[in-house]
Amino acid sequence: MDSGRRKFFKLFAAGSLGAGLTPVFPASLSGIAPDQPTETNIADALKYPRNENSMPGKYPGRVVRVDDEKSISDGTINEEAVYNMLDGGMRNLGECNDVRDAWRQFVNPGEKVGIKVNPIGGKLLSTSHALVKSVILQLEQSGIAREDIVIFDRRMQQLRDTGFTPDNYPGIAIAGTEHVDESGSYYDENGELYSLSLIDRDWYYWADCEMEYDDYMLPFMVNQGKYSYFSKIVTQQLDKIINLPIMKNAGASVTLCLKNLGYGVITNTSRLHATLWAETSAQVCAFPPVRDKVVLNIADGIKGCYDGGPGANPQFFTDYKMLLLGTDPVAMDVVGYDIIIGKRIEMGRQSGFFDVGMQKMELAAGYGLGVADRDRIDLRTIIRS
Amino acid sequence: MVMIKMYCLIFLCSLLFGSSGTAVVAKGVAERPDGLFFCQPEIVTTATPDGKIADMPVMSPSDLPGAVISRSEIYVGGSLWGLINGAADLYYEYGFDRMALQDIGWEGENFRLELYRMDSPLAAYGIFSVSVHGCEEGGPVSTGYCINRFQYQLYSGNYYLSLINYSGSDKARELSLKIAELVANRTGGAAAVLPGLFVRQPFEVNADGIRLIRGIIGVRNIVPGIAHLFDEADDFEIWHLGIASDSGQQEILLLKSPGPHPLPEAAAITEGLSMAGYAVREADGQVVAVMSDDFVESNELLDRIIILL
């Protein structure tokens, strides 16, 4: 291997890497699929008893798709249209006439509600402000106090860069595990990473692989080794989480509900990208801080992409002009997968559907997190205009 | 404690006297007993008076009269992950050196300039080849650039440029050309050498569709159906060409090692491609594979390719 490539990292994996075949994974005591390349502590997660909020939530298998041609025009998002799409989608999901009743099925006054956005595409392709503001407005209309709402992600700097700031969201807390101060430094006056105080060492995802990071990368990984720690934002600060991913591809798969959570709430992820990309997305979501707190998923498909994801390459952008809503992140990802990969095929970026793209959804279904079988998904479509 | 105070003083001084181009570098990483890390920060000011950041040929106000460059940053090593998260892995796979990022406001238009310096012209071509699509003007091989409404991309020497405008207007396009020309003039060098097979008849007409894959991420993105063959491989190049013919789509893969030695595990890869439905043959340490809707046609095309090789 060319010594100049990937010279920043050394990857160490115990055991042999699997053949990369799509696992057919029945739920089991160990949680480890026979073909899983690397051992993890998923079995620990599966021991925790489930509760009424646990994934797939109130409506397993149900996905509401809301289409509106007027939601975006020439790059400008129509905020009113998005608000109305969200309103209609929530009422359909909750099967009620008043959107406040719909929201109150998932959140209650007095609870700390986190909104997990996706800002990694920068200003070009991040969870839209039109959607976030609509969610906040409807939460407030449903009795959630503004001071009980938190917009969060891993990376504080990216949140700022994409406009998730106190100025734009007065009264709303903005939180990032990889915290930076106003000067842009990841380190405090003692030379310690701010993020060290924001990780919860009582909750972790352990995987038998590790990667050595250089000095530049460490602030974004927080720690090396075989442990990925959950963010205290998720484990300690929030009661409920609303997940707002964007409709983007990731190669021949998608980065949607499961990925936005799986990689968005833990540290030390680059080592997992290389060996456990799909497994991490599914297994992290099986841990109670995620499984029992994520009550709603709203996929932002007003503007998305079909290639170049999860980054932002404008020539692969497309206006899907839709929202997807559901409590079941697995079913949401399956529906989104069919749309995004269908677009890839239409645009000649992929010749067909490949099993590998469904891997994380099938794994997650095996852990009881939702429905991956298309025959059991209840897809409801609302076409507004 | 004295060292910490000294570093803090340097840190604070840098905040006071830092200029428009900076890079944050963590030095002196020490491992704590709990396995977490204690890092002593140091801010390195890298901007030069003519706007260069750490020897990267980016824009300065004198290049673009009246322009406001509101952001100028350099990303070295693993720090690219901090900017684009997992998308950085693809750049590392090709051979990444550093990236300069600028936000530019010029004549009422706004631009985001990302200039990647890769470790070779081939690496620059590779990342460029998988990042372009549907060029309204230009073509990756024929011209080395690709222009679309919101983006100008080019590769030049070891550099890959992505210049994004936010309006998609004709004026933005015109200004993009000026910026890109300045970059191109400063980044000339050796060009990537593409396999001769693809730049002569009968494939020359399709040459702009050639894509270079250099690792498992690229394989998963472009040919996911055979990704399992490369899970443990890290010493390969795949040249991918899609052709539209009268009978449908054809896909040609040329698999080789990056060096003069034969492709490692060529026999296993050949067998795996065959099982995946490709017409495939091993020749001179390389593997050539063809996929189309008609297996007979695939074999006929394969025969012609082997003769050309």
Side-chain angles (χ1 to χ4, degrees):
Chain A
M1 180 178 174
D2 181 351
S3 61
R5 288 158 54 193
R6 294 194 70 83
K7 61 184 176 183
F8 313 114
F9 317 117
K10 296 177 188 173
L11 176 61
F12 310 95
S16 61
L17 293 176
L21 299 175
T22 303
V24 177
F25 177 72
S28 71
L29 288 176
S30 72
I32 307 295
D35 293 324
Q36 179 168 311
T38 304
E39 188 180 350
T40 69
N41 69 332
I42 177 61
D44 293 344
L46 299 178
K47 291 175 186 170
Y48 287 92
R50 301 167 59 83
N51 62 41
E52 61 178 2
N53 292 321
S54 298
M55 288 178 185
K58 285 186 183 296
Y59 302 110
R62 180 181 298 176
V63 179
V64 178
R65 169 179 165 169
V66 186
D67 290 38
D68 191 340
E69 273 294 315
K70 296 178 182 173
S71 57
I72 184 169
S73 175
D74 205 26
T76 301
I77 297 176
N78 183 331
E79 292 194 5
E80 183 179 354
V82 172
Y83 178 93
N84 290 330
M85 292 167 76
L86 181 64
D87 178 285
M90 285 298 297
R91 287 187 287 109
N92 187 294
L93 179 67
E95 295 183 330
C96 47
N97 293 324
D98 191 327
V99 71
R100 291 169 295 182
D101 293 334
W103 281 100
R104 290 291 292 273
Q105 294 182 22
F106 308 111
V107 294
N108 296 294
E111 291 178 335
K112 277 280 196 212
V113 179
I115 300 174
K116 171 64 178 73
V117 298
N118 187 302
I120 70 162
K123 293 175 187 173
L124 290 168
L125 192 64
S126 294
T127 307
S128 65
H129 291 289
L131 178 60
V132 176
K133 287 178 179 175
S134 296
V135 168
I136 291 171
L137 188 52
Q138 292 183 14
L139 282 172
E140 288 184 284
Q141 290 166 348
S142 307
I144 306 301
R146 198 169 180 83
E147 56 265 26
D148 285 338
I149 299 172
V150 181
I151 297 172
F152 77 100
D153 183 59
R154 281 176 63 174
R155 206 143 289 163
M156 177 62 92
Q157 190 60 52
Q158 287 178 337
L159 287 168
R160 287 182 186 159
D161 289 345
T162 51
F164 293 105
T165 62
D167 285 346
N168 290 333
Y169 291 89
I172 303 283
I174 314 291
T177 312
E178 294 153 27
H179 183 81
V180 288
D181 59 32
E182 291 300 321
S183 71
S185 175
Y186 287 90
Y187 302 95
D188 64 19
E189 63 275 10
N190 298 316
E192 280 203 358
L193 285 169
Y194 288 109
S195 50
L196 292 180
S197 65
L198 288 170
I199 61 172
D200 190 337
R201 273 172 263 175
D202 290 332
W203 285 101
Y204 53 84
Y205 178 58
W206 180 89
D208 195 9
C209 63
E210 53 190 319
M211 185 181 273
E212 190 176 312
Y213 304 123
D214 65 17
D215 298 350
Y216 302 102
M217 195 153 167
L218 200 54
F220 313 114
M221 295 295 113
V222 183
N223 62 279
Q224 294 182 164
K226 298 186 180 182
Y227 290 82
S228 291
Y229 297 102
F230 283 75
S231 168
K232 281 183 181 175
I233 299 171
V234 171
T235 62
Q236 296 182 10
Q237 297 177 12
L238 300 174
D239 299 306
K240 301 280 179 66
I241 296 170
I242 300 168
N243 184 22
L244 301 191
I246 310 162
M247 286 180 64
K248 296 190 289 187
N249 81 296
S253 186
V254 295
T255 173
L256 207 52
C257 298
L258 293 170
K259 178 82 166 23
N260 195 41
L261 296 168
Y263 281 84
V265 301
I266 58 173
T267 65
N268 190 14
T269 52
S270 191
R271 59 169 187 134
L272 303 169
H273 249 262
T275 59
L276 291 166
W277 188 83
E279 289 82 354
T280 301
S281 296
Q283 293 180 359
V284 168
C285 290
F287 282 78
V290 179
R291 184 196 69 187
D292 299 342
K293 292 189 179 183
V294 178
V295 293
L296 185 61
N297 304 272
I298 306 170
D300 187 347
I302 304 299
K303 177 179 166 186
C305 71
Y306 59 89
D307 203 351
N313 289 298
Q315 60 186 294
F316 300 122
F317 288 175
T318 188
D319 297 335
Y320 292 110
K321 299 183 179 180
M322 70 177 69
L323 298 178
L324 299 177
L325 299 89
T327 65
D328 181 340
V330 180
M332 291 269 294
D333 276 13
V334 172
V335 172
Y337 173 84
D338 287 346
I339 295 167
I340 296 166
I341 303 305
K343 188 67 177 179
R344 284 176 60 79
I345 295 170
E346 175 193 333
M347 301 304 288
R349 301 304 283 178
Q350 189 167 321
S351 59
F353 287 87
F354 295 95
D355 288 345
V356 66
M358 282 284 294
Q359 187 178 2
K360 62 178 175 299
M361 290 83 98
E362 287 165 355
L363 279 171
Y367 301 133
L369 301 180
V371 176
D373 181 352
R374 290 176 176 84
D375 290 338
R376 292 174 47 218
I377 291 177
D378 171 22
L379 175 60
R380 305 171 171 195
T381 301
I382 303 170
I383 299 175
R384 292 188 54 83
S385 63
Chain B
M1 183 57 83
V2 172
M3 287 297 290
I4 294 169
K5 286 183 178 175
M6 187 176 82
Y7 274 107
C8 286
L9 184 61
I10 295 171
F11 178 88
L12 290 170
C13 287
S14 299
L15 286 178
L16 286 172
F17 299 109
S19 66
S20 61
T22 59
V24 177
V25 177
K27 296 291 187 186
V29 175
E31 184 168 355
R32 301 183 343 182
D34 60 4
L36 299 174
F37 287 82
F38 175 77
C39 301
Q40 293 152 334
E42 177 184 346
I43 290 186
V44 177
T45 301
T46 57
T48 57
D50 62 358
K52 283 191 177 180
I53 308 173
D55 198 33
M56 290 288 279
V58 292
M59 296 299 102
S60 71
S62 59
D63 291 322
L64 312 173
V68 174
I69 302 174
S70 58
R71 183 178 185 180
S72 248
E73 296 170 352
I74 184 88
Y75 291 82
V76 182
S79 66
L80 187 64
W81 239 88
L83 182 67
I84 58 176
N85 284 27
D89 280 342
L90 186 64
Y91 291 86
Y92 296 136
E93 189 167 88
Y94 281 96
F96 170 80
D97 178 46
R98 61 190 59 203
M99 186 268 262
L101 169 68
Q102 289 186 306
D103 284 339
I104 302 170
W106 192 29
E107 297 191 16
E109 299 287 344
N110 293 304
F111 303 89
R112 177 180 170 112
L113 183 152
E114 295 178 6
L115 183 61
Y116 295 83
R117 188 163 80 196
M118 310 299 284
D119 67 6
S120 69
L122 195 63
Y125 173 79
I127 192 67
F128 171 67
S129 74
V130 298
S131 302
V132 296
H133 178 64
C135 307
E136 293 178 5
E137 283 183 49
V141 173
S142 53
T143 64
Y145 62 82
C146 177
I147 304 175
N148 285 294
R149 186 178 170 204
F150 290 97
Q151 194 172 13
Y152 188 117
Q153 297 161 287
L154 73 84
Y155 99 94
S156 176
N158 284 23
Y159 293 88
Y160 162 61
L161 170 70
S162 168
L163 180 64
I164 293 168
N165 78 80
Y166 291 91
S167 71
S169 67
D170 290 341
K171 183 171 185 186
R173 191 178 185 118
E174 174 193 327
L175 295 176
S176 295
L177 292 176
K178 293 182 179 179
I179 296 172
E181 186 178 6
L182 287 168
V183 173
N185 288 341
R186 297 171 183 176
T187 55
V193 178
L194 276 59
L197 170 70
F198 292 131
V199 293
R200 63 186 197 208
Q201 294 297 337
F203 305 111
E204 186 181 16
V205 66
N206 304 109
D208 277 336
I210 297 172
R211 293 186 283 183
L212 170 61
I213 302 165
R214 290 187 104 187
I216 186 61
I217 297 171
V219 175
R220 288 175 185 157
N221 286 353
I222 295 170
V223 279
I226 59 170
H228 60 284
L229 301 177
F230 298 90
D231 275 339
E232 296 189 48
D234 62 6
D235 189 22
F236 64 89
E237 290 177 356
I238 303 177
W239 293 89
H240 176 279
L241 179 63
I243 298 174
S245 70
D246 291 339
S247 51
Q249 285 288 116
Q250 293 174 322
E251 179 184 61
I252 301 172
L253 304 178
L254 174 62
L255 299 92
K256 56 193 289 294
S257 80
H261 52 276
L263 179 69
E265 301 177 359
I269 290 172
T270 300
E271 182 181 351
L273 287 169
S274 178
M275 291 176 63
Y278 285 83
V280 57
R281 209 154 313 159
E282 194 181 336
D284 296 331
Q286 302 176 102
V287 176
V288 185
V290 177
M291 172 72 86
S292 71
D293 292 335
D294 186 322
F295 192 71
V296 172
E297 186 179 297
S298 296
N299 270 295
E300 289 174 353
L301 180 56
L302 183 60
D303 288 338
R304 296 210 305 271
I305 292 171
I306 295 298
I307 292 171
L308 289 170
L309 281 176

